[in-house]
Amino acid sequence: MGNNDVLSKMPDRRIKKLDRLFEAFSIVAEGTYVYICDMRYDVSRWSTSAVVAFGLPGEYMYAAGEIWEEKIHPDDKEVYRKGIGDIFEGKSFGHDMQYRALNINGTYDVCTCRGTVLLDDNDEPNYFVGVIRNHGIQSHVDTLTGLRNQYGMMEDLQYNISNHTEMRFTMVGISHFSEFNEVYGYHFGNKILQNFARYLYDKIGNTGSVYRLDGTKFAVISMEGTAEGIRNYYEMARSHFRKGFKVEDKDIILDLNAGHLLINNFDIDYQTVYSCANYAYSESKQRRQGDMVFFADELTDDNRFRLEKFHAIRGSIMQNFSGFYLVYQPVVDSESEELIGAEALLRWKNEKYGLVPPDEFIPLLEKDPLFPELGEWILKKALTDSKEILKKYPDFVINVNLSYTQLEKPDFVEMVINAVEECDYPAEHLCLEITERCRLLDLELLKNVVVNLRGHGIQIALDDFGTGFSSVGIVKNLPFDTIKIDRSFVMRIEEDDKEKELIEHFVNLAATFGAKVCVEGIETEGMKSILKNYPVKSFQGYYYAKPLKLEDFLVWRN
């Protein structure tokens, strides 16, 4: 719910009173989060820094007590709920409590919360005011470099967006930094970071602000300059650090990566900006050998539209996944051509933007902290829908794609097992697909996840075999139930003998390691007929069906 929707619940005089109280308390509450709640309308205003630190919906919130409760650690919720309940029921006129609250990084900060009720002239509860001290954040300054930290950066981003201040946001970082820590130790690594931070600070001068983010990443917010000027600054920095510089008499050479974003559209929030910049940064690191990547290459009308769409899609995750839905593409047995499974595919649609293709938002969302939450929703939705399909097709297996951001979460396996149990779904009828982007993960971590899931009866498939991530080494080191051959290897199989040879090679390789083969991209009778000559287990493609909504899937082939 946006600020305008929240404030529409209140008369103007109450809004002005709420704002005046907030401003007054903010003056004397330095270093804490201030909140003011109009108890008659249950509309609150909170400090921007709290909104940033904990990923709250906005500065103004309706029923903020319930929203905040969702952030409270499960073990602390009962005490919190009772304290807030007593205040709104008139049993108490203040509280002083400590609890743990979930921040945007997915960890809990210890917070002390003190508040009191202000009465009106008739001694009726009027406002509930208070402060929250976050003991997990002593300040917005990074102690190693002296720069403002990630929380400070996000607070400044949101402030500029709220005030419609045009700015340029650059994320820049160092590659292969762990090698310095391993060879020379963390103390030496810290000196490199301090040197790098000082260089950025000196070069930016009065034209912008520099921030230390997580790990070896930094950010720059500039209020002036052009895209070309930003690129030139970055190339100067790359040249400087490639030539080498001395740290404790050792010659050090650094490789950099950078992503850049122009913000002149203010119907977004800091989280959208950060995710888009992080996506551009990742593209620089993984695909462009460190060249600066400009998100959307300057925001033309079309690209500004893209940024707004992504903001709306992110917002949908926090609005109970409104606009998201799943479609299912059938997988058939290669011999009988009977249905044996389906791949669950994500879609998003709303009235303003229509249907947005998944390749426009999934690569962006995969860099976003919200993606694991969406991934869990996809899994549970697919399992729930598949229970209906299983009634008609007892051997049916549902395939669900995984992202590397899900796999690297420490509780990922636990989440999957809980989802299967919660949905009362037979584990052996679930197949999780590891996609090309999972190449970013450590092989041992990936192996532990795969072995653990298969130990619970869940099948594992390797998707996109033959593309960037898939390789003989991966198949050799990880136990897969199915290997899915990418459609790019069969598109011309009717006229290209080399593609026939490749398929034969892939099938033999899969058989060596005990995996079944599924071929994607079957589009014609001729492709199907050729592939039937090889020991392929299953087919998937438009020849059989496009991705279908559940209700259409259930009547497919009837």
Side-chain angles (χ1 to χ4, degrees):
M1 183 180 291
N3 286 347
N4 292 337
D5 295 326
V6 172
L7 296 179
S8 66
K9 298 177 178 293
M10 301 169 61
D12 287 344
R13 61 182 179 80
R14 297 289 294 191
I15 296 172
K16 292 177 181 176
K17 182 72 175 293
L18 181 72
D19 287 340
R20 284 198 297 269
L21 282 170
F22 181 85
E23 290 160 8
F25 276 87
S26 295
I27 292 172
V28 297
E30 185 177 357
T32 61
Y33 308 132
V34 174
Y35 61 87
I36 309 285
C37 176
D38 186 318
M39 297 181 70
R40 294 183 188 175
Y41 297 91
D42 200 7
V43 170
S44 302
R45 182 175 175 186
W46 285 50
S47 297
T48 302
S49 52
V51 173
V52 169
F54 296 97
L56 299 174
E59 191 176 347
Y60 294 91
M61 290 180 282
Y62 175 70
E66 297 176 12
I67 295 171
W68 186 236
E69 183 180 323
E70 291 300 313
K71 302 291 182 180
I72 304 297
H73 192 283
D75 294 344
D76 302 337
K77 281 189 178 183
E78 187 176 345
V79 173
Y80 169 82
R81 189 181 299 124
K82 183 179 185 307
I84 293 297
D86 286 349
I87 286 169
F88 275 82
E89 292 168 15
K91 299 177 182 178
S92 172
F93 292 98
H95 72 188
D96 185 346
M97 63 176 70
Q98 192 169 86
Y99 47 69
R100 291 159 289 179
L102 186 67
N103 62 39
I104 58 167
N105 294 323
T107 58
Y108 286 93
D109 290 337
V110 176
C111 297
T112 299
C113 181
R114 294 186 174 91
T116 188
V117 174
L118 302 182
L119 305 177
D120 62 15
D121 293 339
N122 298 316
D123 289 335
E124 294 293 326
N126 198 11
Y127 293 94
F128 178 44
V129 303
V131 295
I132 299 171
R133 184 172 297 281
N134 185 348
H135 301 289
I137 308 174
Q138 297 302 319
S139 71
H140 287 340
V141 175
D142 174 56
T143 55
L144 177 65
T145 63
L147 301 174
R148 278 172 68 76
N149 61 18
Q150 184 163 325
Y151 293 101
M153 177 273 292
M154 291 183 171
E155 186 175 289
D156 291 350
L157 268 180
Q158 191 60 43
Y159 178 84
N160 290 338
I161 291 169
S162 300
N163 288 281
H164 290 200
T165 303
E166 182 173 312
M167 58 184 157
R168 292 183 174 276
F169 182 81
T170 306
M171 185 179 292
V172 58
I174 305 169
S175 288
H176 312 299
F177 190 80
S178 60
E179 296 172 6
F180 295 110
N181 286 332
E182 290 170 3
V183 175
Y184 301 114
Y186 285 95
H187 175 73
F188 186 86
N190 286 343
K191 287 200 170 186
I192 296 176
L193 290 175
Q194 289 170 332
N195 190 299
F196 186 73
R198 174 52 57 184
Y199 175 90
L200 288 180
Y201 184 83
D202 290 343
K203 291 299 178 184
I204 296 304
N206 294 322
T207 63
S209 301
V210 185
Y211 307 82
R212 164 90 188 282
L213 307 183
D214 57 306
T216 64
K217 289 195 286 191
F218 294 76
V220 177
I221 296 177
S222 307
M223 302 303 179
E224 55 187 73
T226 63
E228 194 58 34
I230 296 290
R231 190 195 303 274
N232 289 339
Y233 268 118
Y234 174 64
E235 289 302 326
M236 286 171 54
R238 286 181 86 186
S239 177
H240 172 79
F241 288 107
R242 277 176 172 171
K243 290 177 182 176
F245 61 100
K246 286 193 177 294
V247 175
E248 294 184 353
D249 296 326
K250 294 180 177 65
D251 290 317
I252 300 300
I253 296 175
L254 301 180
D255 287 321
L256 308 184
N257 315 288
H260 178 77
L261 178 67
L262 169 68
I263 301 109
N264 60 1
N265 162 40
F266 306 106
D267 189 22
I268 56 174
D269 60 16
Y270 72 90
Q271 292 168 316
T272 300
V273 171
Y274 186 79
S275 292
C276 292
N278 202 31
Y279 169 77
Y281 177 88
S282 296
E283 289 292 295
S284 169
K285 182 177 182 179
Q286 295 159 21
R287 302 180 189 275
R288 299 284 292 278
Q289 291 76 51
D291 289 346
M292 176 174 278
V293 172
F294 289 79
F295 180 83
D297 287 319
E298 294 301 311
L299 289 181
T300 62
D301 288 342
D302 287 343
N303 288 328
R304 184 177 295 110
F305 193 61
R306 181 188 180 198
L307 189 60
E308 291 175 358
K309 280 192 294 187
F310 181 60
H311 177 66
I313 291 168
R314 283 192 82 260
S316 293
I317 297 175
M318 296 182 285
Q319 294 165 12
N320 202 29
F321 308 99
S322 63
F324 287 105
Y325 64 97
L326 297 184
V327 291
Y328 300 94
Q329 186 169 36
V331 175
V332 303
D333 182 87
S334 61
E335 292 186 11
S336 67
E337 297 187 63
E338 293 294 320
L339 180 73
I340 58 173
E343 181 177 355
L345 300 165
L346 183 66
R347 298 290 187 265
W348 184 85
K349 183 179 182 180
N350 78 353
E351 291 183 5
K352 181 175 181 180
Y353 301 109
L355 178 63
V356 180
D359 58 1
E360 284 192 19
F361 65 85
I362 288 180
L364 285 166
L365 276 179
E366 285 186 326
K367 307 293 189 301
D368 194 284
L370 289 175
F371 191 79
E373 189 176 340
L374 177 61
E376 183 175 355
W377 178 86
I378 293 169
L379 177 60
K380 289 182 178 178
K381 177 64 175 169
L383 296 180
T384 302
D385 287 352
S386 296
K387 289 178 71 175
E388 292 298 309
I389 303 172
L390 273 170
K391 293 176 184 177
K392 188 174 182 181
Y393 301 96
D395 296 328
F396 178 83
V397 173
I398 186 65
N399 287 39
V400 179
N401 289 297
L402 299 180
S403 162
Y404 74 90
T405 51
Q406 293 172 273
L407 287 162
E408 66 185 358
K409 296 280 286 185
D411 61 348
F412 172 71
V413 172
E414 181 183 0
M415 182 277 290
V416 173
I417 303 307
N418 288 342
V420 169
E421 292 176 352
E422 182 182 323
C423 296
D424 191 25
Y425 189 83
E428 63 273 15
H429 290 268
L430 169 63
C431 180
L432 299 177
E433 295 190 13
I434 295 175
T435 62
E436 188 269 341
R437 293 186 185 90
C438 294
R439 70 187 186 279
L440 302 173
L441 284 173
D442 176 75
L443 184 60
E444 282 304 309
L445 183 152
L446 198 54
K447 187 174 183 177
N448 287 337
V449 170
V450 168
V451 170
N452 205 331
L453 289 170
R454 292 183 84 238
H456 285 85
I458 295 168
Q459 299 182 48
I460 304 294
L462 176 62
D463 198 11
D464 304 324
F465 185 79
T467 60
F469 166 61
S470 307
S471 68
V472 175
I474 294 296
V475 176
K476 182 180 178 181
N477 285 287
L478 297 178
F480 291 105
D481 298 281
T482 300
I483 290 176
K484 300 187 75 174
I485 298 189
D486 189 73
R487 64 187 302 274
S488 62
F489 292 99
V490 297
M491 289 178 65
R492 300 180 63 251
I493 198 169
E494 293 177 78
E495 62 266 14
D496 190 340
D497 289 338
K498 289 182 179 178
E499 288 199 353
K500 297 185 182 72
E501 292 177 13
L502 272 175
I503 291 297
E504 184 174 10
H505 172 72
F506 289 158
V507 170
N508 291 335
L509 182 65
T512 300
F513 295 103
K516 296 171 290 188
V517 171
C518 173
V519 178
E520 300 177 293
I522 308 298
E523 297 183 357
T524 67
E525 174 78 24
M527 294 171 71
K528 178 196 76 172
S529 298
I530 292 170
L531 288 165
K532 275 180 171 284
N533 295 318
Y534 302 95
V536 174
K537 172 61 179 174
S538 55
F539 294 150
Q540 179 181 343
Y542 280 15
Y543 175 75
Y544 295 101
K546 293 183 178 181
L548 304 168
K549 290 187 176 181
L550 178 63
E551 56 269 26
D552 297 322
F553 191 97
L554 290 170
V555 297
W556 179 65
R557 283 188 169 177
N558 277 7

